[in-house]
Amino acid sequence: MTNAIKNTARINLETRSSKLAVQNLRKSFRSQRSDAPILVFENITFEVHASEFISLVGPSGCGKTTFLRILDGLIPHDEGEILLDGKTIIKPGPDKGFVFQDSSLLPWRSVIDNVIVGLELQGVDKREARRKAERYILLVGLAGFEHHYPHELSGGMQQRVNLARALIVEPQVLLMDEPFASLDAQTREIMQAELLKMWRQTQKTVIFVTHQIEEAIYLSDRVVVFSARPARIREIVKVNLPRPRLLSIKRNKDFLDLVDHVWDIIQDEVLKSMGREREEGIF
Amino acid sequence: MAKQERRVPAWLRSTRTVAACSVIVGVGLWQLGFEGLARSPYFKAYAIDHFLASPWQVIQSFRELYQSGELLRHCYFSLLEFVYGFLLAIAVGVPVGFIMATQKKVNNYLDPWVSCLYATPRVALAPIIVVWFGLGILPSSLVVFLGAVFPIILNTYTGIKSVRQNLVEVVRAFGGSSMQVFFKVMIPDATPAIIAGLRLAVGRAVIGVVVAELFGAEAGLGYMVYFYSQRFQPGPVFVGIVVLVVFGVLTFIALEKVQRWLSPWYTYQLRQQIQESEMA
């Protein structure tokens, strides 16, 4: 009895100290060809502290993006619970800011009108929203481009708008789905450094999905490594590199060791999944 | 510098100048050919002037028809039929296309009908519609409607079906309702396709006006064309045809302007796609 009380007390304490808690999450898809559901991931449990930067990496197709979409409430999951500030996430809303892989800007809206989409959907007065947007456009470094249209912007600039659009709703957690994947190498590096700067300024809790291990380690406090499908958490790698981090840290020995470590896990997972498929005679 | 001077000036090389020259030369050849024919012994013998008119004669006929007020009267009736039929086609076509695209069950019921009616030659329907509704504006408007409604339905359907899901997801991710998804994403993203449907429909609507008036009408440009061809007066016949062509082309261009005004982003996107495909 006392034990049970102790347990609940401990859980309460944990949920209070954590911003976002994912407990035993499980997701499967029903495939169209067979009746047997395909398991995407299961037993996903971890916690994210307030203002923490977490990255999610794993072999291609392991369900990282699906996981992020579930966190946002865009698609349902089978089992488990997601708690944001102790409350269950059931549907999308302004408490989460989603940064999409392709910038997904509305082509008929100017930069400023794309940024205010989230506020507009909440019924905020347009003029007030635009005033607020100025601040965020400045933050992402797009001042002077307010009235440009998406097709007039470079890929990097479009992703800045994408980011401002998510930040303006003042979300409790920022969910980023490979936002720099389609950028060229140089722009990507610059955007990474700027993202860290903005993160320091806004103190947001960030979940960042990427397939780039270097990127994950450079940005994050902790890197959650998923296994191949059906995914489970293979390891949560703590990144003990000092902040603020300059881009030059990527040549640092400790940094490269971490990259190697995560690479080893993922390579191992990829080979394992290929071996299994070979056994089943798919290849 | 010297090389620059030898080149043809820009205004002469522009697409518009070339297009205008092409038309002028074509009409000129028509006039010359007619003059040549008129000087041949066969002209009077075979009464060719009952079958052919020169551009100059067409202009003469135009002036006569215009001054007598006859042309305007015919234009008025044809325009009325066009407007009634076309507006009704929009009012029916856009909602039906939208419902078919979003409600799978409704689509299953409607699809065979739309496909069959789309493939039915409206020319074949016109006589029976005239039998049902008699002479006048109503049957003609209905034929126009039948011609115009199907391209509008099909294009609205395609437009809504090809709304980009990632854009829908943006609105959903920020907590937007279905209504907000509809108004803030689906309508704007489908607008170019819907207007493309309207542009296809214009041509069919003009055909509808003429066909309906051929089978039973007391006024209208189609009626005028038919009336004068039966009396072997090619001048007024060509006047009717030219007016119909000009009207069709102007409406087509006007709708393009509407599209550019409503969705300027789409024009750019198209251009970009063409550039990409040329580079590939």
Side-chain angles (χ1 to χ4, degrees):
Chain A
M1 193 62 187
T2 41
N3 246 346
I5 291 167
K6 252 185 212 161
N7 270 342
T8 42
R10 194 171 56 87
I11 289 167
N12 278 342
L13 200 74
E14 273 175 5
T15 42
R16 211 182 304 143
S17 68
S18 68
K19 187 80 186 164
L20 183 80
V22 179
Q23 293 165 353
N24 250 325
L25 210 65
R26 182 195 139 102
K27 172 73 184 173
S28 57
F29 278 124
R30 198 154 283 284
S31 82
Q32 286 178 325
R33 295 221 188 101
S34 70
D35 287 333
I38 298 166
L39 186 61
V40 185
F41 53 72
E42 62 179 355
N43 289 332
I44 305 290
T45 302
F46 66 91
E47 286 182 8
V48 185
H49 310 298
S51 300
E52 196 178 14
F53 202 121
I54 295 274
S55 281
L56 233 70
V57 296
S60 304
C62 72
K64 302 184 291 271
T65 296
T66 308
F67 177 75
L68 203 66
R69 284 154 54 94
I70 289 172
L71 282 193
D72 191 59
L74 273 169
I75 48 174
H77 56 276
D78 308 345
E79 276 171 31
E81 214 170 359
I82 313 158
L83 299 169
L84 178 60
D85 286 326
K87 282 182 301 235
T88 308
I89 291 178
I90 22 175
K91 59 179 198 317
D95 49 346
K96 289 144 290 180
F98 205 101
V99 181
F100 293 84
Q101 183 173 358
D102 44 352
S103 63
S104 298
L105 303 179
L106 304 177
W108 47 87
R109 284 177 174 236
S110 61
V111 166
I112 194 160
D113 285 347
N114 263 295
V115 171
I116 65 167
V117 155
L119 293 179
E120 202 184 306
L121 293 171
Q122 290 169 52
V124 176
D125 175 59
K126 264 196 185 182
R127 270 172 47 203
E128 197 184 307
R130 286 204 184 103
R131 239 192 333 269
K132 194 174 173 187
E134 299 280 356
R135 215 166 66 230
Y136 285 90
I137 289 172
L138 193 70
L139 176 74
V140 299
L142 278 181
F145 289 94
E146 288 85 350
H147 302 293
H148 283 59
Y149 280 82
H151 62 75
E152 297 168 313
L153 305 178
S154 67
M157 289 159 94
Q158 289 185 14
Q159 287 304 39
R160 287 165 195 264
V161 181
N162 193 359
L163 187 59
R165 177 174 64 186
L167 285 173
I168 199 173
V169 297
E170 293 173 347
Q172 295 299 311
V173 56
L174 198 57
L175 307 171
M176 304 184 75
D177 182 16
E178 302 194 34
F180 306 146
S182 58
L183 304 181
D184 61 85
Q186 284 171 18
T187 315
R188 193 188 303 144
E189 298 252 303
I190 292 163
M191 290 297 290
Q192 287 167 5
E194 291 210 19
L195 176 62
L196 279 191
K197 209 176 86 191
M198 286 176 233
W199 173 68
R200 263 209 321 281
Q201 283 173 22
T202 55
Q203 298 282 306
K204 289 285 170 229
T205 310
V206 182
I207 313 262
F208 190 98
V209 164
T210 179
H211 59 259
Q212 263 228 317
I213 293 157
E214 234 196 16
E215 181 172 73
I217 290 168
Y218 172 67
L219 294 172
S220 315
D221 296 319
R222 287 187 292 158
V223 178
V224 178
V225 187
F226 273 28
S227 69
R229 196 136 118 189
R232 291 176 184 85
I233 294 181
R234 263 294 301 259
E235 193 174 328
I236 299 181
V237 179
K238 191 143 178 55
V239 183
N240 275 322
L241 296 169
R243 289 190 190 268
R245 294 175 191 161
L246 300 174
L247 278 168
S248 55
I249 205 172
K250 292 186 177 180
R251 293 187 292 275
N252 182 314
K253 171 89 172 52
D254 293 343
F255 182 88
L256 292 173
D257 284 348
L258 280 168
V259 173
D260 279 345
H261 177 64
V262 176
W263 245 123
D264 280 345
I265 302 172
I266 289 180
Q267 226 163 13
D268 184 39
E269 282 300 325
V270 170
L271 286 176
K272 224 196 300 180
S273 73
M274 280 171 72
R276 188 161 62 229
E277 281 173 337
R278 230 179 256 128
E279 269 171 27
E280 286 165 6
I282 290 168
F283 282 110
Chain B
M1 197 64 208
K3 212 173 180 183
Q4 281 283 316
E5 277 169 359
R6 248 184 287 132
R7 285 177 62 184
V8 189
W11 66 269
L12 250 179
R13 281 182 290 127
S14 83
T15 332
R16 273 181 200 195
T17 319
V18 172
C21 284
S22 171
V23 172
I24 290 167
V25 168
V27 172
L29 284 176
W30 177 6
Q31 181 76 38
L32 279 177
F34 186 87
E35 296 290 339
L37 204 62
R39 278 166 184 73
S40 76
Y42 304 104
F43 192 75
K44 277 273 148 21
Y46 293 100
I48 288 175
D49 54 343
H50 286 81
F51 304 98
L52 275 180
S54 71
W56 181 244
Q57 284 169 342
V58 175
I59 292 170
Q60 295 284 339
S61 304
F62 180 85
R63 197 184 294 150
E64 283 161 26
L65 287 168
Y66 179 75
Q67 276 165 357
S68 69
E70 193 184 341
L71 182 63
L72 284 183
R73 196 172 69 89
H74 290 306
C75 283
Y76 171 75
F77 280 102
S78 288
L79 190 67
L80 221 54
E81 289 157 12
F82 177 86
V83 170
Y84 285 163
F86 201 68
L87 288 184
L88 188 64
I90 296 173
V92 172
V94 174
V96 168
F98 176 76
I99 290 168
M100 283 175 70
T102 50
Q103 310 291 323
K104 201 166 176 355
K105 280 185 184 152
V106 180
N107 183 41
N108 291 342
Y109 283 105
L110 286 185
D111 186 53
W113 291 96
V114 170
S115 300
C116 287
L117 284 169
Y118 185 58
T120 308
R122 253 83 39 186
V123 185
L125 287 179
I128 192 74
I129 286 174
V130 171
V131 170
W132 288 342
F133 296 98
L135 303 175
I137 288 181
L138 177 66
S140 305
S141 303
L142 276 179
V143 176
V144 172
F145 166 77
L146 281 176
V149 76
F150 294 105
I152 297 178
I153 291 178
L154 291 173
N155 266 273
T156 307
Y157 175 86
T158 319
I160 296 286
K161 275 279 178 203
S162 50
V163 163
R164 285 162 280 186
Q165 286 312 303
N166 60 329
L167 301 184
V168 170
E169 194 143 82
V170 167
V171 171
R172 293 229 302 116
F174 287 104
S177 64
S178 310
M179 279 306 252
Q180 284 172 321
V181 167
F182 176 68
F183 283 110
K184 294 197 189 287
V185 181
M186 296 182 97
I187 289 287
D189 207 26
T191 298
I194 295 173
I195 294 178
L198 298 188
R199 292 177 75 187
L200 285 176
V202 165
R204 289 166 160 269
V206 172
I207 294 172
V209 168
V210 177
V211 166
E213 288 171 355
L214 289 183
F215 284 102
E218 292 156 319
L221 290 167
Y223 169 79
M224 189 180 99
V225 166
Y226 181 72
F227 180 88
Y228 284 105
S229 65
Q230 293 299 298
R231 279 153 192 79
F232 296 101
Q233 292 183 38
V237 171
F238 281 107
V239 170
I241 292 169
V242 169
V243 169
L244 285 167
V245 168
V246 169
F247 175 76
V249 170
L250 288 183
T251 322
F252 195 74
I253 293 172
L255 279 171
E256 191 191 355
K257 298 259 187 247
V258 169
Q259 185 258 301
R260 276 168 191 248
W261 173 64
L262 281 177
S263 341
W265 55 274
Y266 181 72
T267 316
Y268 180 83
Q269 199 172 294
L270 264 187
R271 216 180 306 148
Q272 217 171 24
Q273 277 166 7
I274 292 167
Q275 268 171 12
E276 274 164 17
S277 65
E278 274 172 356
M279 280 197 290

